Amino acid sequence: MNEMSRVATQVANVKLLIDGEFVESKSTQWRDVVNPATQVVLARVPFATADEVDAAVAAAKRAFVTWRKTPIGARARIFLKYQQLIRENMAELAAILTAEQGKTLPDAEGDVFRGLEVVEHAAAIGNLQLGELANNVAGGVDTYTLLQPLGVCAGITPFNFPAMIPLWMFPMAIATGNTFVLKPSEQDPMVTMRLVELALEAGVPKGVLNVVHGGEDVVNAICDHADIKAVSFVGSTRVGTHVYNRASLAGKRVQCMMGAKNHAVVLPDANKEQTLNALVGAAFGAAGQRCMAASTAVLVGDAQAWIPDLVARARTLKVNAGIEPGTDVGPVISCAARERVEGFIGDGVREGATLELDGRKPDVAGYENGNFIGPTIFSGVTPGMRIYDEEIFGPVLVLLTAESLDAAIALINANPNGNGTALFTQSGAAARRFQEEIDVGQVGINVPIPVPVPLFSFTGSRASKLGDLGPYGKQVVMFYTQTKTVTQRWFDDDTLHVGVNTTISLK
Ligand code: NAD
């Protein structure tokens, strides 16, 4: 046990939320929540017991009986209040997030803000959960739809957006009339818990939102639980595929947003300054730990001559603790993550790629124990190399070349992932061709990280996603509700003479 883990016995325990109460877990299995810039232990998080998971689901099931009938305006007003509370507590939320996750304070505010946008959208549920009506579909017959909540829904979230991604899930699930069990990342659950406290303060009733912590066992218990109707997962492809298969087999509705390899295509006619800035920001921001990071750039034709400028720009980024002003690149989440990314860099060198910029073991004065890796760039990368074929999830940008836009499109379409892609060009015709031909669910045109705002849905595709409907936006209203179609006739004895109808037709 090192010096830092000894601190763990004195730090706070992260609580479970069951039936409106923040309770201490009875688990014997705990894990430290560690500041990735310093290795200081911030808290301990339990791996909840099977009984605790059952208690959370049972509380959610009881709460559903009344919550599903709570007027839509009353549900909406809770989220109006909630968005206000998140705004008022933004600085505190960002500070907690930076301490446990490592990203810079401005980026931590961005993480909270992109979740806040979903909360604002949830407050508009009165306009979103509307059915349809067709009048006179047959004589005296009207047909209309109800979008009814499913029951207890569950969410499992990753470490890289501990504010935004929980907020993708429980606000819209609850606003549509469901109750919820959340399983945050065990690596950084503290900002999620502060957001959950604020949700209760905003008026989410007891039992409507519950939280259990843990890892594989808790996730499997959620997948298998007979009283959970839908599971939303965001995380790696490996775990997401497991969750999708297991929860689907148990009869649940499931959506899984998973890993990625996002290509940015640079045409030689692109605005050079803006493109270089966009690439560097999108590859190295959040230390590359974004599912929509531009981790791969395809330089077309004469744009291949921009590599020295790209490297020079990446060199200017400041690697430091996220809490320090002016930091561009904070630490990666854990020592294991740092070793994993360094392993990828070693493999890239062994496989023959050119290491243009080596970010391993940077000097970070005052934070010598942090999990830092500086911006790293490889050129001469080709499919078949591990640094191209796998998601690195660190501050490593790999550069490929293509002779034409069509060749770049073919390369991207041959990659299994479909989370995001971007094209840099000043040609409208090239942009339109790209948008039409590219087989990726989220496309940016001179926008490096095209994550849609919640008026739309997150629409990653192919190997980056399982399930038909995405998080937030209109799609998630469909995900969290069952459409019930009512076909209705009221007899008016004086005017309607239907008689016996032995056909399938409505008369
Ligand atoms: P992860 O898959 O390791 O963990 C995600 C969740 O699954 C966590 O809550 C974790 O506790 C749980 N989990 C971990 N191992 C498990 C197992 N064996 N069985 C069951 N559950 C398990 O992902 P992560 O490292 O926290 O997050 C990074 C990954 O998430 C990257 O691959 C990234 O691309 C992806 N991601 C995708 C999106 C998207 O929208 N497509 C968004 C954010 C992150």
Side-chain angles (χ1 to χ4, degrees):
M1 189 187 263
N2 64 26
E3 187 59 34
M4 292 313 173
S5 30
R6 249 179 265 136
V7 180
T9 51
Q10 295 136 30
V11 299
N13 291 339
V14 180
K15 302 285 192 287
L16 309 173
L17 172 62
I18 298 178
D19 208 12
E21 303 291 328
F22 289 96
V23 293
E24 181 98 4
S25 173
K26 297 196 167 45
S27 181
T28 53
Q29 211 191 333
W30 294 74
R31 171 192 167 116
D32 293 344
V33 179
V34 179
N35 182 323
T38 60
Q39 311 304 338
V40 167
V41 176
L42 303 169
R44 294 196 323 152
V45 63
F47 285 60
T49 65
D51 284 350
E52 288 165 344
V53 176
D54 281 346
V57 178
K61 191 177 176 187
R62 281 193 302 277
F64 181 63
V65 176
T66 45
W67 181 246
R68 68 188 286 263
K69 294 187 177 155
T70 301
I72 201 162
R75 282 183 261 142
R77 278 189 289 278
I78 290 174
F79 291 97
L80 278 176
K81 175 76 178 165
Y82 191 31
Q83 64 81 26
Q84 178 199 347
L85 288 174
I86 293 174
R87 280 176 201 285
E88 287 171 5
N89 291 277
M90 179 63 92
E92 183 205 351
L93 290 162
I96 299 171
L97 202 162
T98 291
E100 64 179 342
Q101 203 279 346
K103 63 179 71 174
T104 66
L105 275 175
D107 198 30
E109 285 208 9
D111 189 330
V112 178
F113 184 79
R114 301 258 13 204
L116 172 65
E117 291 180 313
V118 183
V119 176
E120 291 169 343
H121 203 233
I125 194 64
N127 292 320
L128 295 170
Q129 202 176 352
L130 296 175
E132 296 174 316
L133 184 143
N135 190 210
N136 287 320
V137 295
V141 177
D142 302 325
T143 295
Y144 56 92
T145 57
L146 312 174
L147 302 186
Q148 294 195 309
L150 302 175
V152 181
C153 299
I156 299 156
T157 57
F159 80 83
N160 65 326
F161 283 101
M164 176 183 83
I165 292 178
L167 292 175
W168 280 5
M169 296 182 182
F170 71 79
M172 287 301 282
I174 290 173
T176 46
N178 299 282
T179 57
F180 207 78
V181 177
L182 177 67
K183 207 299 285 173
S185 171
E186 69 280 28
Q187 299 195 76
D188 47 13
M190 294 169 70
V191 69
T192 315
M193 291 313 286
R194 185 68 189 117
L195 283 165
V196 164
E197 284 173 11
L198 293 175
L200 298 202
E201 196 180 325
V204 171
K206 98 186 180 102
V208 170
L209 174 60
N210 303 271
V211 184
V212 289
H213 300 286
E216 184 173 357
D217 291 348
V218 170
V219 169
N220 286 342
I222 287 171
C223 292
D224 296 344
H225 205 295
D227 288 332
I228 293 177
K229 304 299 177 197
V231 175
S232 182
F233 170 91
V234 180
S236 64
T237 304
R238 180 182 64 83
V239 179
T241 306
H242 164 77
V243 166
Y244 188 81
N245 291 336
R246 189 155 178 155
S248 299
L249 203 63
K252 299 180 198 333
R253 202 175 271 195
V254 197
Q255 57 169 211
C256 294
M257 308 309 127
M258 306 183 294
K261 200 79 185 175
N262 307 304
H263 299 66
V265 178
V266 182
L267 297 188
D269 73 346
N271 179 304
K272 188 172 172 184
E273 280 303 297
Q274 286 170 4
T275 303
L276 294 179
N277 285 339
L279 279 181
V280 165
F284 304 121
Q289 298 172 118
R290 292 180 181 136
C291 67
M292 288 287 281
S295 57
T296 307
V298 186
L299 307 176
V300 177
D302 292 345
Q304 291 161 26
W306 297 3
I307 292 175
D309 299 300
L310 184 62
V311 172
R313 187 93 23 135
R315 264 187 219 285
T316 65
L317 298 185
K318 190 168 154 201
V319 181
N320 205 344
I323 198 170
E324 297 294 344
T327 301
D328 297 303
V329 180
V332 295
I333 186 72
S334 63
C335 300
R338 178 177 53 73
E339 283 164 18
R340 190 174 161 277
V341 175
E342 288 171 352
F344 269 105
I345 298 172
D347 284 350
V349 173
R350 270 188 292 284
E351 289 178 327
T354 305
L355 186 54
E356 302 273 358
L357 181 61
D358 185 356
R360 286 175 290 186
K361 312 244 182 305
D363 288 332
V364 183
Y367 294 94
E368 285 75 11
N369 293 324
N371 312 319
F372 294 101
I373 307 170
T376 298
I377 299 179
F378 278 106
S379 65
V381 177
T382 53
M385 292 182 181
R386 187 170 171 246
I387 52 171
Y388 178 75
D389 292 348
E390 294 182 31
E391 184 182 37
I392 300 175
F393 223 57
V396 181
L397 174 63
V398 303
L399 305 178
L400 289 83
T401 56
E403 284 315 304
S404 63
L405 176 60
D406 284 346
I409 291 172
L411 174 84
I412 298 169
N413 288 352
N415 187 289
N417 294 288
N419 219 31
T421 187
L423 176 71
F424 292 89
T425 184
Q426 305 216 53
S427 159
R432 191 163 191 289
R433 184 178 184 80
F434 186 74
Q435 163 200 305
E436 288 290 300
E437 302 297 329
I438 204 74
D439 190 6
V440 172
Q442 303 180 105
V443 179
I445 305 295
N446 298 312
V447 172
I449 304 187
V451 176
V453 295
L455 301 174
F456 300 87
S457 301
F458 190 93
T459 56
S461 66
R462 296 200 280 132
S464 298
K465 179 185 185 186
L466 284 167
D468 298 329
L469 299 168
Y472 65 81
K474 290 182 191 132
Q475 290 191 7
V476 101
V477 176
M478 301 313 292
F479 181 76
Y480 284 128
T481 60
Q482 171 65 45
T483 303
K484 185 181 280 177
T485 310
V486 181
T487 300
Q488 170 173 277
R489 163 179 279 153
W490 293 98
F491 291 100
D492 179 337
D493 290 342
D494 293 336
T495 56
L496 265 178
H497 302 285
V498 178
V500 175
N501 177 13
T502 57
T503 75
I504 187 69
S505 305
L506 286 171
K507 294 210 168 146

